[in-house]
Amino acid sequence: MARFVWAFPFLLLAATAQAQQGQRQDPGCARDVQRFCRAQMNDGDMVILACLQEHRAKLSKTCAKALADNGR
């Protein structure tokens, strides 16, 4: 759990950097965070994680896999 909490901000930063560079790759959960958790984006990583878990059934395959790979 601690490993995921520590890595989550870096996943978001990497996703943001890819989006800013105009890459067409799916940047993990960034798109899902913007879609489902926009109101919570400034509330911290754990709030965003809880939001993603609430919307698990609607998440992209990439984001769902990232959560599953990190024990979420």
Side-chain angles (χ1 to χ4, degrees):
M1 179 175 148
R3 179 178 56 167
F4 179 76
V5 172
W6 185 82
F8 191 70
F10 295 106
L11 292 172
L12 289 176
L13 287 174
T16 303
Q18 284 181 350
Q20 289 176 349
Q21 292 174 359
Q23 294 181 2
R24 299 193 71 119
Q25 293 177 322
D26 188 5
C29 291
R31 188 173 291 150
D32 294 297
V33 169
Q34 289 177 356
R35 177 183 282 169
F36 302 117
C37 307
R38 184 179 300 267
Q40 292 86 11
M41 286 177 68
N42 293 322
D43 294 341
D45 297 338
M46 295 307 293
V47 175
I48 294 171
L49 177 59
C51 177
L52 289 173
Q53 289 174 333
E54 287 176 22
H55 294 94
R56 183 176 296 275
K58 300 180 227 171
L59 296 178
S60 66
K61 290 179 183 179
T62 305
C63 185
K65 183 178 181 333
L67 291 178
D69 289 349
N70 288 291
R72 297 295 180 172

